[in-house]
């Protein structure tokens, strides 16, 4: 499947994890600058908050804050000039940034990657460590409760749990980048592999449409793999570039793209883009919550 791609912004430094603010602006992280940035038709790209380190994704909370997965300052071979603490952060509309958690249930976080609120109001996130297929960290799924307490939801072995989304029944769907797996974790049960993406389709972020299909941005594959809720392949949306994460807005797909790259360099390559693609499909409404 091919659709026209509209470039909303370019020259971005590893944009990831988009969401929509209450005023309609698109908010996202810019890993290479340690910033949360926003886009609107009137203002274009502009700063929202400075969180430092290496922010990986962001999500609007019901309290009006933007919740951030902070990996500490890494992206492949790239390291931030000023490192931060691997953590979940929160940025307020006035630019204040604070750490919500740097450990959960006594376990220090490694490099939080993606996050989602569940229908139960908890904040779920993946914590894979650094991306190194030859020296794999133990990947974990965590949850933070509204009162600030939390738990280790699952330890998934030497793996790279990346994008994560929540389904209405409380199940979590997450993708694993080393082996290209798509997993579902039902409440009270271990994760179950439901699909393996094609060779070269390294999954990064994902969102769920109103029919329950999974739209998975596949790093270096130049597109978005669409997979049914039961794991059956549905289609592939060709985009070009290196799509990192996505978001449904009305019947369009907003994509954060790394740029026309063949690898992830050690220097901060400011080649990323923000795209809008009319797909004629609406997303499942995202769940919202807050952490004290």
């Amino acid at each position: 499947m091919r659709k026209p791609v509209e470039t909303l912004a370019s020259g971005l430094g590893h944009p990831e994890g988009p969401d929509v603010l209450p005023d309609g602006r698109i908010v996202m992280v810019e890993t290479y600058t340690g910033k949360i940035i926003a886009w609107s038709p009137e203002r274009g790209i502009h700063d929202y908050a400075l969180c430092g380190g290496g922010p990986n994704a962001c999500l609007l909370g019901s309290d009006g804050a933007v919740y951030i997965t902070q990996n500490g300052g890494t992206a492949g071979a790239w390291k931030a000039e000023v490192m931060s603490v691997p953590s979940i952060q929160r940025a307020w509309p006035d630019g204040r940034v604070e750490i919500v958690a740097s450990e959960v249930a006594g376990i220090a976080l490694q490099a939080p990657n993606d996050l989602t609120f569940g229908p139960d109001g908890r904040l779920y996130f993946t914590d894979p460590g650094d991306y190194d297929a030859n020296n794999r960290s133990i990947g974990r799924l965590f949850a933070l409760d509204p009162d600030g307490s939390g738990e280790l939801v699952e330890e998934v072995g030497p793996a790279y749990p990346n994008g994560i989304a929540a389904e209405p029944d409380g199940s979590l769907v997450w993708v694993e980048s080393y082996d290209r797996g798509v997993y579902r974790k039902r409440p009270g049960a271990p994760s179950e592999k439901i699909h393996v993406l094609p060779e070269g389709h390294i999954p990064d972020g994902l969102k769920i449409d109103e029919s329950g299909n999974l739209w998975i941005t596949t790093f270096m594959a130049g597109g978005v793999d669409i997979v049914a809720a039961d794991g059956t392949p549905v289609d592939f949306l060709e985009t070009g570039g290196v799509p990192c994460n996505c978001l449904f807005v009305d019947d369009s797909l907003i994509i954060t793209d790394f740029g026309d790259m063949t690898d992830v360099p050690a220097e901060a390559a400011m080649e990323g883009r923000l795209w809008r693609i009319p797909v004629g499909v609406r997303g499942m409404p995202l769940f919202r919550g807050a952490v004290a």
Side-chain angles (χ1 to χ4, degrees):
M1 170 172 50
R2 291 191 66 88
K3 298 284 185 179
V5 177
E6 178 187 3
T7 300
L8 302 178
S10 60
L12 306 180
H14 202 327
E16 271 268 28
D19 203 351
V20 180
L21 295 171
D23 61 8
R25 288 180 293 164
I26 304 296
V27 66
M28 72 206 87
V29 304
E30 192 176 38
T31 304
Y32 287 156
T33 64
K35 292 180 179 180
I36 307 303
I37 58 176
W39 175 90
S40 69
E42 299 79 19
R43 300 176 61 184
I45 290 290
H46 52 281
D47 291 349
Y48 184 85
L50 177 64
C51 59
N56 257 346
C58 64
L59 178 69
L60 180 69
S62 59
D63 55 0
V66 173
Y67 288 77
I68 305 154
T69 46
Q70 169 61 257
N71 68 29
T74 64
W78 173 84
K79 304 295 180 186
E81 290 185 10
V82 179
M83 300 295 283
S84 184
V85 178
S87 59
I88 300 298
Q89 296 175 309
R90 174 170 48 209
W92 294 98
D94 63 4
R96 288 179 296 127
V97 176
E98 57 194 17
I99 291 178
V100 176
S102 58
E103 64 176 45
V104 176
I107 304 170
L109 303 182
Q110 304 175 108
N113 190 289
D114 197 18
L115 70 174
T116 184
F117 283 107
D120 55 2
R122 304 176 93 195
L123 181 65
Y124 296 91
F125 63 96
T126 55
D127 187 28
D130 291 338
Y131 189 91
D132 184 350
N134 298 314
N135 185 25
R136 303 182 180 190
S137 302
I138 298 298
R140 299 184 176 100
L141 310 179
F142 284 105
L144 283 173
D145 290 304
D147 65 2
S149 62
E151 68 167 328
L152 172 64
V153 174
E154 186 173 10
E155 192 168 87
V156 296
Y160 196 89
N162 200 327
I164 187 169
E167 297 179 308
D169 68 352
S171 296
L172 301 174
V173 179
W174 58 277
V175 294
E176 200 283 320
S177 296
Y178 291 139
D179 297 326
R180 311 183 313 283
V182 182
Y183 291 82
R184 175 175 287 112
K185 178 176 176 55
R186 299 188 186 279
S191 293
E192 174 189 7
K193 184 183 290 185
I194 62 171
H195 182 69
V196 176
L197 293 163
E199 188 73 33
H201 289 226
I202 300 171
D204 195 339
L206 80 155
K207 291 294 185 294
I208 304 172
D209 71 21
E210 60 184 355
S211 298
N213 296 321
L214 314 175
W215 292 60
I216 304 168
T217 49
T218 44
F219 201 78
M220 300 296 183
V224 179
D225 281 87
I226 305 168
V227 177
D230 65 359
T232 303
V234 174
D235 208 340
F236 179 70
L237 172 64
E238 297 181 49
T239 62
V242 182
C244 297
N245 212 328
C246 60
L247 171 73
F248 285 100
V249 176
D250 298 326
D251 60 355
S252 291
L253 193 67
I254 301 295
I255 293 178
T256 50
D257 160 66
F258 188 64
D260 293 318
M261 310 287 288
T262 57
D263 59 10
V264 180
E267 67 274 10
M270 305 293 288
E271 297 186 14
R273 296 165 291 208
L274 181 67
W275 286 335
R276 178 165 53 203
I277 303 175
V279 293
V281 175
R282 291 182 175 269
M284 182 194 77
L286 298 179
F287 300 105
R288 301 296 180 188
V291 180

